[in-house]
Coordinates of all heavy atoms in Angstrom, one line a residue:
M271 N 120.4 42.9 89.7 CA 119.8 41.8 89.0 C 118.5 42.1 88.4 O 117.7 42.8 89.0 CB 119.7 40.6 89.9 CG 119.1 39.4 89.3 SD 118.9 38.1 90.5 CE 117.9 37.0 89.6
Y272 N 118.3 41.7 87.2 CA 117.0 42.0 86.5 C 116.4 40.6 86.3 O 116.6 40.0 85.2 CB 117.2 42.7 85.2 CG 115.9 43.2 84.6 CD1 115.1 44.1 85.2 CD2 115.6 42.7 83.4 CE1 113.9 44.5 84.6 CE2 114.4 43.1 82.7 CZ 113.6 44.0 83.4 OH 112.4 44.4 82.8
P273 N 115.5 40.1 87.2 CA 115.1 38.7 87.1 C 114.1 38.4 86.0 O 113.9 37.3 85.6 CB 114.4 38.5 88.5 CG 114.0 39.8 88.9 CD 115.0 40.8 88.4
V274 N 113.5 39.5 85.4 CA 112.4 39.2 84.4 C 113.0 38.5 83.2 O 112.3 37.6 82.7 CB 111.8 40.6 84.0 CG1 110.9 40.4 82.8 CG2 111.0 41.2 85.1
W275 N 114.3 38.7 82.9 CA 114.9 38.0 81.8 C 114.8 36.5 82.1 O 114.5 35.7 81.2 CB 116.3 38.5 81.5 CG 116.9 37.8 80.3 CD1 116.8 38.2 79.0 CD2 117.7 36.6 80.3 NE1 117.5 37.3 78.2 CE2 118.0 36.3 79.0 CE3 118.1 35.7 81.3 CZ2 118.8 35.2 78.6 CZ3 118.9 34.6 81.0 CH2 119.2 34.4 79.6
Y276 N 115.2 36.1 83.3 CA 115.2 34.7 83.7 C 113.8 34.1 83.7 O 113.6 33.0 83.4 CB 115.9 34.5 85.0 CG 117.4 34.9 85.0 CD1 117.7 36.2 85.5 CD2 118.3 34.1 84.5 CE1 119.1 36.6 85.4 CE2 119.7 34.5 84.4 CZ 120.0 35.7 84.9 OH 121.3 36.1 84.9
W277 N 112.9 34.9 84.2 CA 111.5 34.4 84.3 C 110.9 34.2 82.9 O 110.1 33.3 82.7 CB 110.6 35.4 85.1 CG 111.0 35.5 86.5 CD1 111.6 34.6 87.3 CD2 110.8 36.6 87.4 NE1 111.8 35.0 88.6 CE2 111.3 36.3 88.6 CE3 110.2 37.9 87.2 CZ2 111.2 37.2 89.7 CZ3 110.2 38.8 88.2 CH2 110.7 38.4 89.5
R278 N 111.2 35.1 82.0 CA 110.5 35.1 80.6 C 111.3 34.2 79.6 O 110.7 33.8 78.6 CB 110.4 36.5 80.1 CG 109.5 37.4 80.9 CD 108.1 37.1 80.8 NE 107.3 38.1 81.5 CZ 106.9 38.0 82.8 NH1 107.4 37.0 83.6 NH2 106.2 39.0 83.3
N279 N 112.6 34.0 79.8 CA 113.4 33.3 78.8 C 112.9 31.9 78.6 O 113.0 31.1 79.6 CB 114.9 33.4 79.2 CG 115.8 32.9 78.1 OD1 115.4 33.0 76.9 ND2 116.9 32.4 78.5
G280 N 112.4 31.6 77.5 CA 112.0 30.2 77.2 C 110.6 29.9 77.6 O 110.2 28.7 77.5
E281 N 109.9 30.8 78.2 CA 108.6 30.6 78.7 C 107.6 30.7 77.5 O 107.7 31.6 76.7 CB 108.2 31.7 79.7 CG 107.2 31.2 80.8 CD 107.1 32.2 81.9 OE1 107.2 33.4 81.6 OE2 106.8 31.8 83.0
P282 N 106.7 29.7 77.3 CA 105.8 29.8 76.2 C 104.9 31.0 76.3 O 104.6 31.5 77.4 CB 104.9 28.5 76.4 CG 105.6 27.6 77.3 CD 106.5 28.5 78.1
G283 N 104.5 31.5 75.2 CA 103.7 32.8 75.1 C 102.4 32.7 75.9 O 102.0 33.7 76.5
N284 N 101.8 31.5 76.0 CA 100.5 31.4 76.7 C 100.8 31.1 78.2 O 99.8 30.9 78.9 CB 99.7 30.3 76.1 CG 100.3 28.9 76.2 OD1 101.5 28.8 76.4 ND2 99.5 27.9 76.0
R285 N 102.0 31.1 78.6 CA 102.3 30.9 80.0 C 103.2 32.0 80.6 O 103.8 31.8 81.7 CB 103.1 29.5 80.2 CG 102.4 28.3 79.7 CD 101.3 27.9 80.5 NE 101.8 27.4 81.8 CZ 101.1 27.1 82.8 NH1 99.8 27.3 82.8 NH2 101.6 26.7 83.9
Q286 N 103.2 33.2 80.0 CA 104.0 34.3 80.4 C 103.6 34.7 81.8 O 102.4 34.8 82.1 CB 103.8 35.5 79.5 CG 104.5 35.4 78.2 CD 106.0 35.4 78.3 OE1 106.6 36.4 78.8 NE2 106.7 34.4 77.7
G287 N 104.6 34.8 82.7 CA 104.3 35.2 84.1 C 104.3 34.0 85.1 O 104.3 34.2 86.3
M288 N 104.2 32.8 84.6 CA 104.1 31.6 85.5 C 105.4 31.4 86.3 O 105.3 31.2 87.5 CB 103.7 30.4 84.8 CG 102.3 30.4 84.2 SD 101.0 30.8 85.4 CE 101.2 29.4 86.5
R289 N 106.5 31.6 85.7 CA 107.8 31.5 86.5 C 107.9 32.5 87.6 O 108.3 32.3 88.7 CB 109.0 31.5 85.6 CG 109.1 30.3 84.7 CD 110.4 30.4 83.9 NE 110.5 29.2 83.0 CZ 111.3 29.2 81.9 NH1 112.0 30.2 81.6 NH2 111.3 28.1 81.2
E290 N 107.5 33.7 87.2 CA 107.5 34.8 88.2 C 106.6 34.6 89.3 O 107.0 34.7 90.5 CB 107.1 36.1 87.5 CG 107.2 37.3 88.4 CD 106.8 38.6 87.7 OE1 106.5 38.6 86.5 OE2 106.9 39.7 88.4
I291 N 105.4 34.1 89.0 CA 104.4 33.8 90.1 C 105.0 32.7 91.0 O 104.9 32.8 92.3 CB 103.1 33.4 89.5 CG1 102.4 34.6 88.9 CG2 102.2 32.7 90.6 CD1 101.2 34.2 88.0
K292 N 105.6 31.7 90.4 CA 106.1 30.6 91.2 C 107.3 31.1 92.1 O 107.5 30.6 93.2 CB 106.6 29.4 90.3 CG 105.4 28.7 89.8 CD 105.8 27.5 88.9 CE 104.6 26.8 88.4 NZ 105.0 25.6 87.6
Y293 N 108.2 31.9 91.5 CA 109.3 32.5 92.2 C 108.8 33.3 93.5 O 109.2 33.1 94.6 CB 110.1 33.4 91.3 CG 111.1 34.2 92.1 CD1 112.4 33.7 92.5 CD2 110.8 35.5 92.5 CE1 113.3 34.5 93.2 CE2 111.7 36.3 93.2 CZ 112.9 35.8 93.6 OH 113.8 36.5 94.3
V294 N 107.8 34.2 93.2 CA 107.3 35.0 94.3 C 106.6 34.2 95.4 O 106.9 34.4 96.6 CB 106.4 36.1 93.7 CG1 105.8 36.9 94.8 CG2 107.2 37.1 92.8
T295 N 105.7 33.3 95.0 CA 105.0 32.5 96.0 C 106.0 31.6 96.7 O 105.9 31.4 97.9 CB 103.9 31.7 95.4 OG1 104.4 30.9 94.3 CG2 102.8 32.7 94.9
G296 N 107.0 31.1 96.0 CA 108.0 30.2 96.7 C 108.9 31.0 97.7 O 109.2 30.6 98.8
L297 N 109.2 32.3 97.3 CA 109.9 33.1 98.2 C 109.1 33.4 99.5 O 109.6 33.3 100.6 CB 110.3 34.5 97.5 CG 111.0 35.5 98.4 CD1 112.4 35.0 98.8 CD2 111.2 36.8 97.6
Y298 N 107.9 33.8 99.3 CA 107.0 34.0 100.5 C 106.9 32.8 101.4 O 107.0 32.8 102.6 CB 105.6 34.4 100.1 CG 105.5 35.8 99.4 CD1 104.5 36.1 98.6 CD2 106.5 36.7 99.5 CE1 104.4 37.3 97.9 CE2 106.5 37.9 98.8 CZ 105.4 38.2 98.0 OH 105.3 39.4 97.4
S299 N 106.7 31.6 100.7 CA 106.7 30.4 101.5 C 107.9 30.1 102.3 O 107.9 29.7 103.4 CB 106.4 29.2 100.6 OG 105.1 29.3 100.0
F300 N 109.1 30.3 101.6 CA 110.4 30.1 102.3 C 110.5 31.1 103.5 O 110.9 30.6 104.6 CB 111.5 30.4 101.2 CG 112.9 30.4 101.8 CD1 113.4 29.2 102.3 CD2 113.6 31.5 101.9 CE1 114.7 29.2 102.8 CE2 114.9 31.5 102.4 CZ 115.4 30.3 102.9
W301 N 110.2 32.3 103.3 CA 110.3 33.3 104.4 C 109.3 32.9 105.5 O 109.6 33.1 106.7 CB 110.1 34.7 103.9 CG 111.3 35.2 103.3 CD1 112.4 34.6 102.8 CD2 111.6 36.6 103.0 NE1 113.3 35.4 102.2 CE2 112.8 36.7 102.4 CE3 110.9 37.8 103.3 CZ2 113.4 37.9 102.0 CZ3 111.5 39.0 102.9 CH2 112.7 39.0 102.2
D302 N 108.1 32.5 105.2 CA 107.1 32.1 106.2 C 107.6 30.9 107.0 O 107.5 30.9 108.2 CB 105.8 31.8 105.6 CG 105.1 33.0 105.0 OD1 105.4 34.2 105.4 OD2 104.1 32.9 104.2
A303 N 108.2 30.0 106.3 CA 108.8 28.8 107.0 C 109.9 29.2 107.9 O 110.0 28.7 109.1 CB 109.3 27.8 106.0
L304 N 110.8 30.1 107.5 CA 111.9 30.6 108.4 C 111.3 31.3 109.6 O 111.8 31.1 110.7 CB 112.8 31.6 107.6 CG 113.8 31.0 106.7 CD1 114.5 32.1 105.9 CD2 114.8 30.2 107.5
R305 N 110.3 32.1 109.4 CA 109.8 32.9 110.5 C 109.0 32.0 111.5 O 108.9 32.3 112.7 CB 108.9 34.0 110.0 CG 109.7 35.1 109.3 CD 108.9 36.2 108.8 NE 108.2 36.9 109.9 CZ 107.0 37.3 109.8 NH1 106.3 37.2 108.7 NH2 106.4 37.9 110.8
Q306 N 108.4 30.9 111.0 CA 107.7 30.0 111.8 C 108.7 29.2 112.7 O 108.5 29.0 113.9 CB 106.9 29.0 111.0 CG 106.1 28.0 111.8 CD 105.2 27.1 111.0 OE1 105.3 27.1 109.8 NE2 104.3 26.5 111.7
R307 N 109.8 28.8 112.1 CA 110.9 28.1 112.8 C 111.7 29.0 113.7 O 112.1 28.5 114.8 CB 111.8 27.5 111.8 CG 112.8 26.6 112.4 CD 113.6 25.8 111.4 NE 114.6 25.0 112.0 CZ 115.5 24.3 111.4 NH1 115.6 24.3 110.1 NH2 116.4 23.6 112.1
F308 N 111.9 30.2 113.4 CA 112.6 31.2 114.2 C 111.7 32.4 114.4 O 111.9 33.4 113.6 CB 113.9 31.6 113.5 CG 114.8 30.4 113.1 CD1 114.8 29.9 111.8 CD2 115.6 29.8 114.1 CE1 115.6 28.9 111.5 CE2 116.4 28.7 113.8 CZ 116.4 28.2 112.5
P309 N 110.8 32.4 115.3 CA 109.8 33.5 115.5 C 110.5 34.9 115.7 O 109.8 35.9 115.4 CB 109.1 33.1 116.8 CG 109.3 31.6 116.9 CD 110.7 31.4 116.3
N310 N 111.6 35.0 116.3 CA 112.3 36.3 116.5 C 113.2 36.7 115.4 O 113.9 37.7 115.5 CB 113.0 36.3 117.8 CG 112.1 36.1 119.0 OD1 111.0 36.6 119.0 ND2 112.5 35.3 120.0
L311 N 113.1 36.0 114.3 CA 114.0 36.3 113.1 C 113.6 37.7 112.5 O 112.4 37.9 112.3 CB 113.9 35.2 112.1 CG 114.7 35.4 110.8 CD1 116.2 35.4 111.1 CD2 114.3 34.4 109.8
L312 N 114.6 38.5 112.3 CA 114.4 39.8 111.6 C 115.0 39.7 110.2 O 116.2 39.5 110.1 CB 115.0 41.0 112.4 CG 114.9 42.3 111.8 CD1 113.4 42.7 111.6 CD2 115.6 43.3 112.6
I313 N 114.3 39.9 109.2 CA 114.8 39.8 107.8 C 114.9 41.2 107.3 O 113.9 42.0 107.3 CB 113.8 39.0 106.9 CG1 113.7 37.6 107.5 CG2 114.3 39.0 105.5 CD1 112.6 36.7 106.8
D314 N 116.1 41.6 106.9 CA 116.3 42.9 106.2 C 116.2 42.7 104.7 O 116.9 41.8 104.2 CB 117.7 43.4 106.6 CG 118.0 44.8 106.0 OD1 117.1 45.4 105.4 OD2 119.1 45.2 106.2
D315 N 115.4 43.4 104.1 CA 115.0 43.2 102.7 C 115.7 44.2 101.8 O 115.6 45.4 101.9 CB 113.5 43.3 102.6 CG 113.0 43.0 101.2 OD1 113.8 42.4 100.4 OD2 111.9 43.4 100.9
C316 N 116.5 43.6 100.8 CA 117.0 44.4 99.7 C 116.7 43.7 98.5 O 117.0 42.5 98.3 CB 118.6 44.5 99.9 SG 119.4 45.3 98.5
A317 N 116.0 44.4 97.6 CA 115.5 43.7 96.4 C 115.7 44.6 95.1 O 114.8 45.4 94.8 CB 114.1 43.3 96.6
S318 N 116.8 44.5 94.5 CA 117.0 45.2 93.2 C 116.7 46.7 93.3 O 115.9 47.2 92.5 CB 116.2 44.6 92.1 OG 116.7 43.3 91.8
G319 N 117.3 47.3 94.2 CA 117.1 48.8 94.4 C 115.7 49.1 94.8 O 115.1 50.2 94.5
G320 N 115.1 48.2 95.6 CA 113.7 48.5 96.1 C 112.6 48.2 95.1 O 111.4 48.4 95.3
Q321 N 113.0 47.6 93.9 CA 112.0 47.4 92.9 C 111.0 46.2 93.2 O 109.9 46.1 92.6 CB 112.7 47.1 91.6 CG 113.5 48.2 91.0 CD 114.2 47.9 89.8 OE1 113.6 47.4 88.8 NE2 115.5 48.0 89.8
R322 N 111.5 45.3 94.0 CA 110.6 44.1 94.3 C 110.2 44.1 95.8 O 109.9 43.1 96.4 CB 111.4 42.8 94.0 CG 111.6 42.7 92.5 CD 112.1 41.3 92.1 NE 113.1 40.7 92.9 CZ 114.4 40.8 92.7 NH1 114.8 41.6 91.8 NH2 115.2 40.2 93.5
I323 N 110.0 45.3 96.4 CA 109.5 45.4 97.7 C 108.0 45.7 97.6 O 107.7 46.8 97.3 CB 110.3 46.4 98.6 CG1 111.8 46.0 98.7 CG2 109.7 46.6 100.0 CD1 112.6 47.1 99.3
D324 N 107.2 44.7 97.9 CA 105.8 44.9 97.8 C 105.1 44.8 99.2 O 105.8 44.6 100.2 CB 105.1 44.0 96.8 CG 105.4 42.5 97.2 OD1 105.6 42.2 98.3 OD2 105.5 41.7 96.2
F325 N 103.8 44.9 99.3 CA 103.1 44.8 100.6 C 103.4 43.5 101.3 O 103.6 43.5 102.5 CB 101.6 45.0 100.4 CG 101.2 46.4 100.1 CD1 100.5 46.6 98.9 CD2 101.6 47.4 100.9 CE1 100.2 47.9 98.6 CE2 101.2 48.7 100.6 CZ 100.5 48.9 99.4
E326 N 103.5 42.4 100.6 CA 103.7 41.1 101.2 C 105.2 41.0 101.7 O 105.4 40.4 102.8 CB 103.4 40.0 100.2 CG 102.0 39.8 99.9 CD 101.2 39.3 101.2 OE1 101.7 38.6 102.0 OE2 100.1 39.8 101.3
M327 N 106.1 41.6 101.0 CA 107.5 41.6 101.5 C 107.6 42.4 102.8 O 108.3 42.1 103.7 CB 108.4 42.2 100.4 CG 108.5 41.4 99.2 SD 109.4 39.9 99.5 CE 111.1 40.4 99.0
Q328 N 106.8 43.5 102.8 CA 106.9 44.4 104.0 C 106.3 43.7 105.2 O 106.7 44.0 106.3 CB 106.1 45.7 103.7 CG 106.8 46.6 102.8 CD 106.1 47.9 102.5 OE1 105.6 48.5 103.5 NE2 106.0 48.3 101.3
R329 N 105.3 42.8 105.0 CA 104.7 42.0 106.1 C 105.8 41.1 106.7 O 105.7 40.7 107.9 CB 103.5 41.2 105.6 CG 102.3 42.0 105.3 CD 101.1 41.1 104.9 NE 100.9 40.2 105.9 CZ 100.6 38.9 105.7 NH1 100.6 38.4 104.5 NH2 100.4 38.0 106.6
R330 N 106.7 40.6 105.9 CA 107.7 39.6 106.3 C 109.1 40.2 106.6 O 109.9 39.4 107.1 CB 107.8 38.6 105.2 CG 106.5 37.8 105.0 CD 106.6 37.0 103.7 NE 105.5 36.1 103.5 CZ 104.3 36.4 103.0 NH1 104.1 37.7 102.6 NH2 103.4 35.5 102.9
S331 N 109.3 41.4 106.4 CA 110.7 41.9 106.5 C 110.7 43.4 106.9 O 109.7 44.1 106.8 CB 111.4 41.7 105.2 OG 110.8 42.5 104.2
A332 N 111.9 43.8 107.2 CA 112.1 45.3 107.4 C 113.0 45.8 106.3 O 113.9 45.1 105.9 CB 112.9 45.5 108.7
V333 N 112.7 46.9 105.8 CA 113.4 47.5 104.6 C 114.4 48.4 105.2 O 114.2 49.6 105.2 CB 112.5 48.2 103.6 CG1 113.3 48.6 102.4 CG2 111.3 47.3 103.3
L334 N 115.6 47.9 105.7 CA 116.6 48.7 106.3 C 117.7 49.1 105.2 O 118.1 50.2 105.1 CB 117.2 48.0 107.5 CG 116.3 47.7 108.6 CD1 117.0 46.9 109.6 CD2 115.6 48.9 109.2
W335 N 118.1 48.1 104.5 CA 119.1 48.3 103.4 C 118.4 48.3 102.1 O 118.0 47.2 101.6 CB 120.1 47.1 103.5 CG 121.3 47.3 102.5 CD1 121.4 46.8 101.3 CD2 122.4 48.1 102.8 NE1 122.6 47.2 100.8 CE2 123.2 48.0 101.7 CE3 122.8 49.0 103.8 CZ2 124.5 48.7 101.6 CZ3 124.0 49.6 103.7 CH2 124.8 49.5 102.6
R336 N 118.1 49.4 101.6 CA 117.2 49.6 100.4 C 117.8 49.1 99.1 O 117.0 48.7 98.2 CB 116.8 51.0 100.3 CG 115.7 51.4 101.3 CD 116.0 52.7 102.0 NE 114.9 53.2 102.8 CZ 114.7 52.8 104.0 NH1 115.3 51.8 104.5 NH2 113.8 53.4 104.7
S337 N 119.1 49.2 98.9 CA 119.6 48.9 97.6 C 121.1 48.5 97.7 O 121.8 49.0 98.6 CB 119.4 50.1 96.7 OG 120.1 49.8 95.5
D338 N 121.6 47.8 96.7 CA 123.0 47.5 96.6 C 123.8 48.7 96.0 O 125.0 48.6 95.9 CB 123.2 46.2 95.8 CG 122.7 45.0 96.5 OD1 122.8 45.0 97.8 OD2 122.4 44.1 95.9
I339 N 123.1 49.7 95.7 CA 123.8 50.9 95.1 C 124.0 51.9 96.2 O 123.7 53.1 96.1 CB 123.1 51.5 93.9 CG1 121.6 51.8 94.2 CG2 123.2 50.6 92.7 CD1 120.9 52.6 93.1
A340 N 124.5 51.5 97.3 CA 124.7 52.3 98.5 C 125.7 53.4 98.3 O 125.7 54.4 99.0 CB 125.1 51.5 99.7
W341 N 126.5 53.3 97.3 CA 127.5 54.3 97.0 C 126.9 55.5 96.3 O 127.6 56.6 96.2 CB 128.6 53.7 96.0 CG 128.0 53.0 94.9 CD1 127.7 51.6 94.8 CD2 127.5 53.5 93.7 NE1 127.1 51.3 93.7 CE2 126.9 52.4 92.9 CE3 127.4 54.8 93.1 CZ2 126.3 52.6 91.7 CZ3 126.8 54.9 91.9 CH2 126.3 53.8 91.2
D342 N 125.6 55.5 95.9 CA 125.0 56.6 95.3 C 124.0 57.2 96.2 O 122.8 56.7 96.3 CB 124.4 56.1 94.0 CG 123.8 57.3 93.1 OD1 123.6 58.4 93.7 OD2 123.5 57.0 91.9
P343 N 124.3 58.3 96.9 CA 123.4 58.9 97.9 C 122.1 59.4 97.2 O 121.0 59.4 97.8 CB 124.2 60.0 98.5 CG 125.3 60.3 97.6 CD 125.6 59.0 96.9
T344 N 122.2 59.9 96.0 CA 121.0 60.4 95.3 C 120.0 59.3 95.1 O 118.8 59.4 95.3 CB 121.3 61.2 94.0 OG1 122.2 62.2 94.3 CG2 120.1 61.7 93.4
A345 N 120.5 58.2 94.5 CA 119.7 57.0 94.3 C 119.1 56.5 95.6 O 117.9 56.1 95.6 CB 120.5 55.9 93.6
N346 N 119.9 56.4 96.6 CA 119.3 55.9 97.9 C 118.2 56.8 98.4 O 117.2 56.4 99.0 CB 120.4 55.8 99.0 CG 121.1 54.5 98.9 OD1 120.4 53.5 98.7 ND2 122.3 54.4 99.3
Q347 N 118.4 58.1 98.3 CA 117.4 59.1 98.7 C 116.1 58.9 97.9 O 115.0 59.0 98.4 CB 117.9 60.5 98.6 CG 117.5 61.4 99.7 CD 118.2 62.7 99.7 OE1 118.9 63.1 98.7 NE2 118.1 63.5 100.8
C348 N 116.2 58.7 96.6 CA 115.1 58.5 95.7 C 114.3 57.2 96.1 O 113.1 57.2 96.2 CB 115.5 58.5 94.3 SG 116.0 60.1 93.6
I349 N 115.1 56.2 96.4 CA 114.4 54.9 96.8 C 113.7 55.1 98.1 O 112.6 54.6 98.3 CB 115.5 53.8 96.9 CG1 116.0 53.5 95.5 CG2 114.9 52.5 97.5 CD1 117.3 52.6 95.5
S350 N 114.3 55.8 99.1 CA 113.7 56.0 100.4 C 112.5 56.9 100.2 O 111.4 56.6 100.9 CB 114.7 56.7 101.3 OG 115.8 55.8 101.6
L351 N 112.5 57.8 99.3 CA 111.3 58.7 99.1 C 110.2 57.8 98.5 O 109.0 58.0 99.0 CB 111.7 59.8 98.2 CG 110.5 60.7 97.7 CD1 110.0 61.5 99.0 CD2 110.9 61.7 96.7
G352 N 110.5 57.0 97.6 CA 109.4 56.2 97.0 C 108.9 55.2 98.0 O 107.6 55.0 98.1
L353 N 109.7 54.6 98.8 CA 109.3 53.6 99.8 C 108.5 54.3 100.9 O 107.6 53.7 101.5 CB 110.4 52.8 100.4 CG 111.0 51.8 99.5 CD1 112.3 51.2 100.1 CD2 110.1 50.6 99.3
S354 N 108.8 55.5 101.2 CA 108.1 56.2 102.3 C 106.6 56.3 102.1 O 105.9 56.5 103.1 CB 108.8 57.6 102.6 OG 108.4 58.5 101.5
Q355 N 106.2 56.3 100.9 CA 104.8 56.3 100.6 C 104.0 55.0 100.9 O 102.8 55.0 101.0 CB 104.5 56.7 99.1 CG 105.2 58.0 98.8 CD 105.1 58.3 97.3 OE1 104.0 58.2 96.7 NE2 106.1 58.8 96.7
W356 N 104.8 54.0 101.1 CA 104.2 52.6 101.3 C 104.5 52.0 102.7 O 103.7 51.2 103.1 CB 104.7 51.7 100.2 CG 104.3 52.2 98.8 CD1 105.1 52.8 98.0 CD2 103.0 52.1 98.2 NE1 104.4 53.1 96.8 CE2 103.1 52.7 97.0 CE3 101.8 51.7 98.7 CZ2 102.1 52.9 96.1 CZ3 100.7 51.8 97.8 CH2 100.8 52.4 96.5
I357 N 105.6 52.4 103.3 CA 106.0 51.8 104.5 C 105.2 52.4 105.7 O 105.2 53.7 105.8 CB 107.5 51.9 104.8 CG1 108.3 51.2 103.7 CG2 107.9 51.4 106.2 CD1 109.8 51.3 103.8
P358 N 104.5 51.6 106.5 CA 103.7 52.2 107.6 C 104.6 52.9 108.6 O 105.8 52.5 108.8 CB 103.1 51.0 108.3 CG 103.3 49.9 107.3 CD 104.4 50.2 106.4
E359 N 104.1 54.0 109.1 CA 104.9 54.7 110.1 C 104.9 54.1 111.5 O 104.1 53.3 111.9 CB 104.3 56.1 110.3 CG 104.5 57.0 109.0 CD 103.9 58.4 109.2 OE1 103.8 58.8 110.4 OE2 103.7 59.0 108.2

């Protein structure tokens, strides 16, 4: 999924990025509410081939299933290599 098209489609030029900001902050709020209600909840994060895994996502989830393109070992290895620079040991 490439969400930028949905975020930008029909958005006024002077408001570019507002839908994306609302989506991201809403997602964080949703996950925070889930984790507050279920303290032992473990969230496995898969986000468009690792493209939307940021520091805040890492605080709230574990990146175990990196991408939906699991059938491509080279792509998975590349995603893991890129994430390895950001995921704490």
Side-chain angles (χ1 to χ4, degrees):
M271 178 184 168
Y272 188 66
V274 173
W275 184 86
Y276 297 98
W277 294 333
R278 299 289 187 271
N279 190 27
E281 210 171 31
N284 64 343
R285 301 287 292 170
Q286 288 289 305
M288 292 307 297
R289 288 182 183 164
E290 180 177 2
I291 290 169
K292 288 180 180 184
Y293 168 84
V294 171
T295 56
L297 178 63
Y298 294 159
S299 295
F300 174 68
W301 282 18
D302 289 343
L304 280 175
R305 291 181 61 219
Q306 184 177 12
R307 186 169 176 188
F308 306 101
N310 296 322
L311 179 66
L312 176 63
I313 300 172
D314 183 6
D315 184 17
C316 176
S318 293
Q321 296 178 55
R322 293 191 317 267
I323 299 172
D324 56 30
F325 289 122
E326 289 297 321
M327 293 290 265
Q328 290 181 43
R329 287 182 57 225
R330 295 166 170 86
S331 65
V333 187
L334 302 175
W335 187 260
R336 280 133 172 80
S337 175
D338 290 330
I339 53 173
W341 47 265
D342 186 344
T344 302
N346 271 328
Q347 218 169 11
C348 290
I349 293 167
S350 295
L351 176 65
L353 285 171
S354 70
Q355 300 175 45
W356 301 102
I357 297 176
E359 293 181 20

